[in-house]
């Protein structure tokens, strides 16, 4: 290797290393000041951080003033969420003095609520709570969030005539604007309209379906919303079913690894009134499940437990090889469940999700 080439490689490595180091640096922490108060013998410091951008790490240097005549410890901070890291700069707050605490907060990308709060408790002795200790509360709201708080939309059609309109709640927080958010509905039979509109509580997706275009078995699709400015998006499964047919709760099966190495998911099935009632109300449910893919060679096992004449709980399982094979599919995988119950028989197709690591693993990889 020539000397010039060696120097070039060293320079490239130095630039890369510098870039990595630079990318990991945070801006100077924002300084916040709060005065603690006394509540039931303990001290409370409540801090309103305002609006924080979602998916971003924020740092705060909190200056806590102690107007009381007692010393307050800042040792052994205990947090309830791994998204918050607390590093006391000082070990205590003397009476009438101020002490500092450095807080690093990983703001989530999505949440069911626009406003959140985190708590920190400081103990004089690690793991031991005593009277006279400090509890610090950090409150904030999420800025720039686009999220369906309901993680699946299950719509029931009650007639074959006319149009049916449904509203699905959507969380949109500033600076995102409703007028910049578009909606697409995939694989939706009878779709006549899909829009996003403002409401008193925020926003919602409005879907209008022509009921005569929907088959008795319903259909499974997807709702996808995207902000045209930031390109932030969210999507949820759309399940449309006849109100008098077979229903599944939840309408999305989650398969996770079990102790025997197989992957299993549970689902509650209700038969409604899709058939004539059987004479023997104690007749067991017969539940069969299959992957809705042509040429699939992985059989599923099903077990069912009667809850009543019109409801049962089913467990569907498959091998790990089947899960790994199904996750390679380009389109969402669905499980077709056929049922024979005391109230008749029916069939429903349900989308599924695979958790391919043990449930207690720190990072779960899910799909499709």
């Amino acid at each position: 290797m020539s000397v010039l080439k060696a120097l070039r490689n060293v320079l490239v490595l130095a630039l890369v290393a510098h870039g990595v180091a630079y990318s990991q640096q945070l801006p100077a922490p924002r300084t916040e000041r709060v005065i603690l108060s006394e509540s039931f013998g303990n001290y409370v410091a409540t801090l309103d951080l305002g609006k924080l951008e979602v998916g971003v790490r924020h740092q705060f240097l909190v200056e806590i003033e102690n107007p009381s005549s007692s010393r307050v410890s800042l040792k052994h901070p205990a947090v309830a969420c791994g998204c918050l890291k607390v590093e006391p700069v000082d070990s205590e707050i003397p009476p009438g003095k101020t002490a500092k605490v450095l807080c690093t907060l990983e703001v989530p990308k999505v949440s069911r609520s626009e406003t959140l709060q985190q708590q920190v408790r400081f103990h004089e002795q690690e793991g031991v709570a005593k009277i006279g200790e400090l509890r610090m509360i950090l409150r904030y709201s999420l800025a720039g969030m686009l999220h369906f708080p309901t993680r699946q939309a299950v719509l029931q059609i009650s007639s074959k005539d006319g149009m049916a309109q449904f509203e699905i709640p959507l969380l949109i927080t500033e600076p995102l604007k409703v007028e910049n958010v578009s909606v697409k509905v995939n694989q939706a039979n009878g779709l006549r309209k899909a829009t996003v509109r403002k409401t008193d509580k925020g926003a919602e997706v409005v879907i209008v379906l022509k009921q005569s275009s929907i088959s008795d078995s319903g259909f499974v699709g997807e709702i996808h919303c995207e902000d045209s400015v930031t390109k932030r998006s969210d999507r949820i499964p759309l399940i449309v079913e006849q109100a008098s047919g077979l229903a599944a709760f939840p309408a999305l099966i989650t398969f996770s690894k079990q102790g025997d190495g197989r992957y299993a998911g549970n689902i509650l099935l209700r038969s409604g009134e899709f058939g004539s009632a059987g004479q023997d109300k104690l007749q067991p449910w017969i539940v069969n499940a299959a992957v809705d893919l042509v040429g699939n060679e992985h059989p599923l096992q099903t077990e069912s437990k009667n809850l009543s004449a019109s409801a049962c709980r089913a467990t569907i399982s498959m091998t790990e090889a089947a899960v790994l094979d199904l996750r390679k599919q380009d389109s969402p995988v669905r499980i077709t469940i056929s049922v024979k119950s005391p109230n008749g028989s029916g069939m429903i197709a349900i989308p599924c999700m695979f958790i391919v690591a043990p449930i207690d693993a720190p990072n779960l990889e899910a799909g499709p």
Side-chain angles (χ1 to χ4, degrees):
M1 182 184 293
S2 66
V3 174
L4 182 60
K5 189 174 182 180
L7 288 174
R8 184 192 65 184
N9 291 342
V10 170
L11 178 60
V12 170
L13 290 173
L15 289 173
V16 170
H18 176 73
V20 170
Y22 178 78
S23 65
Q24 292 176 344
Q25 292 177 354
L26 288 173
R30 191 174 93 194
T31 301
E32 299 286 346
R33 189 176 181 87
V34 63
I35 301 176
L36 61 82
S37 59
E38 190 172 358
S39 176
F40 297 102
N42 289 315
Y43 297 97
V44 179
T46 302
L47 185 61
D48 188 351
L49 300 174
K51 296 182 178 180
L52 301 180
E53 185 179 357
V54 297
V56 176
R57 180 184 299 176
H58 298 265
Q59 272 196 338
F60 307 92
L61 186 62
V62 184
E63 297 180 348
I64 306 175
E65 182 180 340
N66 178 16
S68 73
S69 58
S70 302
R71 177 189 65 85
V72 177
S73 174
L74 291 178
K75 298 178 182 177
H76 306 299
V79 298
C81 176
C83 61
L84 178 62
K85 182 180 180 182
V86 178
E87 302 172 86
V89 178
D90 303 298
S91 61
E92 64 177 35
I93 320 175
K97 301 293 184 179
T98 299
K100 298 177 181 179
V101 175
L102 180 63
C103 298
T104 304
L105 178 63
E106 298 276 359
V107 178
K109 292 182 179 180
V110 293
S111 173
R112 291 180 178 272
S113 173
E114 181 180 351
T115 57
L116 298 174
Q117 75 174 30
Q118 303 295 338
Q119 286 195 79
V120 187
R121 292 181 181 271
F122 297 92
H123 302 310
E124 179 71 35
Q125 189 176 354
E126 187 172 6
V128 179
K130 296 181 178 179
I131 297 296
E133 294 180 327
L134 171 63
R135 177 166 61 102
M136 184 169 66
I137 302 173
L138 305 179
R139 292 176 178 162
Y140 57 97
S141 58
L142 301 177
M145 180 173 63
L146 175 62
H147 181 55
F148 285 101
T150 302
R151 298 313 298 160
Q152 57 189 13
V154 182
L155 314 181
Q156 289 193 334
I157 304 298
S158 59
S159 172
K160 281 291 186 179
D161 300 322
M163 302 291 177
Q165 178 171 310
F166 304 92
E167 296 82 28
I168 298 99
L170 180 65
L171 276 176
I172 302 176
T173 61
E174 294 180 349
L176 272 59
K177 297 181 179 179
V178 174
E179 52 265 31
N180 294 332
V181 177
S182 61
V183 58
K184 293 181 180 179
V185 182
N186 301 327
Q187 303 176 17
N189 300 332
L191 179 66
R192 290 297 178 267
K193 179 182 178 182
T195 59
V196 181
R197 70 182 182 189
K198 290 183 179 179
T199 66
D200 294 339
K201 296 182 179 180
E204 63 187 10
V205 172
V206 180
I207 293 178
V208 177
L209 301 172
K210 185 178 180 181
Q211 298 186 112
S212 61
S213 299
I214 301 171
S215 65
D216 292 340
S217 60
F219 66 86
V220 178
E222 183 183 70
I223 306 174
H224 177 242
C225 282
E226 181 176 275
D227 176 66
S228 61
V229 178
T230 64
K231 301 303 179 182
R232 286 178 180 156
S233 64
D234 194 18
R235 61 184 68 205
I236 56 173
L238 168 66
I239 297 94
V240 176
E241 59 190 23
Q242 295 290 338
S244 59
L246 178 65
F249 305 93
L252 175 69
I253 307 177
T254 300
F255 287 86
S256 56
K257 195 169 186 178
Q258 308 300 304
D260 60 359
R262 294 180 65 86
Y263 283 73
N266 296 313
I267 193 162
L268 175 65
L269 298 170
R270 294 187 182 276
S271 65
E273 298 177 355
F274 54 69
S276 59
Q279 297 297 321
D280 183 5
K281 293 300 182 181
L282 298 179
Q283 176 186 345
W285 284 58
I286 300 175
V287 180
N288 293 305
V291 178
D292 192 15
L293 290 173
V294 177
N296 175 65
E297 299 178 353
H298 299 295
L300 306 184
Q301 292 183 3
T302 58
E303 295 181 5
S304 58
K305 180 181 179 181
N306 283 41
L307 300 179
S308 69
S310 60
C312 88
R313 186 176 302 280
T315 299
I316 303 171
S317 65
M318 66 182 75
T319 64
E320 184 172 9
V323 170
L324 296 177
D325 185 35
L326 295 175
R327 290 189 71 250
K328 298 176 184 178
Q329 303 299 322
D330 294 332
S331 58
V333 176
R334 296 176 180 84
I335 301 293
T336 298
I337 298 177
S338 59
V339 168
K340 183 177 181 181
S341 79
N343 286 343
S345 59
M347 182 176 292
I348 188 171
I350 306 171
C352 57
M353 179 178 71
F354 304 112
I355 298 178
V356 301
I359 294 177
D360 56 354
N363 296 311
L364 296 180
E365 182 184 359

